[in-house]
Amino acid sequence: MAAKKILVLFDVDGTLTEPRAEASAEMQEFLQRLKSKATVGIVGGSDLVKQQEQMGANVVHDVDYSFSENGLVAYKNGELIGKEAIHTYLGEDNIKAIVNFALHYIADLDIPVKRGTFVEFRTGMLNISPIGRNCSREERNAYEVFDLANDVRKKMVAAFQERFGHLNLKYSI
């Protein structure tokens, strides 16, 4: 068989699956059919464990490339080919300063709900959630409407940019 000259990369959350949901059987079948015609990879911000929850336990073998944690953990044909970590890049003192700032900032927010796990450490990023990662889908949806009306996350990002501008960090809402 001739080498595949097309590379197709998909984001996981919001593309292959609903955010934090499992991929449908139809999506899994589509990826396998596509893999016979092109090199297929998935990319996502979540860690590999969360990608496996969404895409299946064998995801690193089911696609040609798997990039978790925004590409900082990379697999090719099931083999780990690269890994980087935010704490080695920024240093522990900066990580602690960011986490402390986030927790103080969130503690002072007056928002409809707070549900725990406000800072999730990942290999390549800190996932900071004003309402917490433990909220239900309904609470998350209601918060999104609240946030659009009140710019909670935009204001939070601005505060982080002001405090940690010297670190040249990238922020995503």
Side-chain angles (χ1 to χ4, degrees):
M1 181 173 158
K4 300 180 214 172
K5 295 188 178 197
I6 298 172
L7 171 64
V8 182
L9 295 173
F10 294 97
D11 180 47
V12 177
D13 279 341
T15 302
L16 296 176
T17 72
E18 291 296 320
R20 297 291 304 127
E22 291 182 27
S24 67
E26 294 82 10
M27 183 58 72
Q28 298 284 12
E29 291 167 14
F30 166 77
L31 290 174
Q32 291 309 305
R33 286 193 313 273
L34 182 61
K35 192 174 167 186
S36 70
K37 297 176 173 50
T39 300
V40 176
I42 62 167
V43 181
S46 294
D47 61 24
L48 182 59
V49 171
K50 287 189 177 80
Q51 280 190 353
Q52 290 170 323
E53 290 170 2
Q54 292 178 267
M55 299 300 300
N58 293 318
V59 67
V60 298
H61 299 283
D62 292 343
V63 295
D64 300 297
Y65 289 93
S66 173
F67 302 102
S68 55
E69 305 207 31
N70 297 313
L72 294 180
V73 178
Y75 283 83
K76 178 180 179 182
N77 298 319
E79 298 292 323
L80 182 66
I81 59 171
K83 187 172 184 175
E84 184 58 70
I86 192 170
H87 67 284
T88 56
Y89 177 76
L90 290 176
E92 195 59 40
D93 287 343
N94 285 323
I95 295 292
K96 289 189 301 187
I98 293 166
V99 170
N100 289 342
F101 183 84
L103 293 173
H104 284 283
Y105 189 94
I106 292 168
D108 291 335
L109 287 175
D110 184 14
I111 56 179
V113 296
K114 293 183 183 179
R115 294 290 184 257
T117 311
F118 301 101
V119 179
E120 180 182 44
F121 180 83
R122 296 183 184 172
T123 302
M125 66 183 268
L126 295 171
N127 185 306
I128 300 170
S129 174
I131 62 168
R133 303 279 300 158
N134 297 342
C135 62
S136 68
R137 170 61 47 206
E138 294 78 24
E139 290 168 331
R140 186 180 303 270
N141 292 344
Y143 175 74
E144 185 176 5
V145 172
F146 178 85
D147 184 46
L148 288 172
N150 295 280
D151 291 327
V152 175
R153 292 180 294 178
K154 285 182 184 177
K155 291 174 186 172
M156 188 165 147
V157 166
F160 273 87
Q161 288 170 324
E162 182 179 331
R163 171 66 177 81
F164 298 104
H166 63 287
L167 296 178
N168 296 314
L169 301 173
K170 302 292 179 218
Y171 301 88
S172 176
I173 296 177

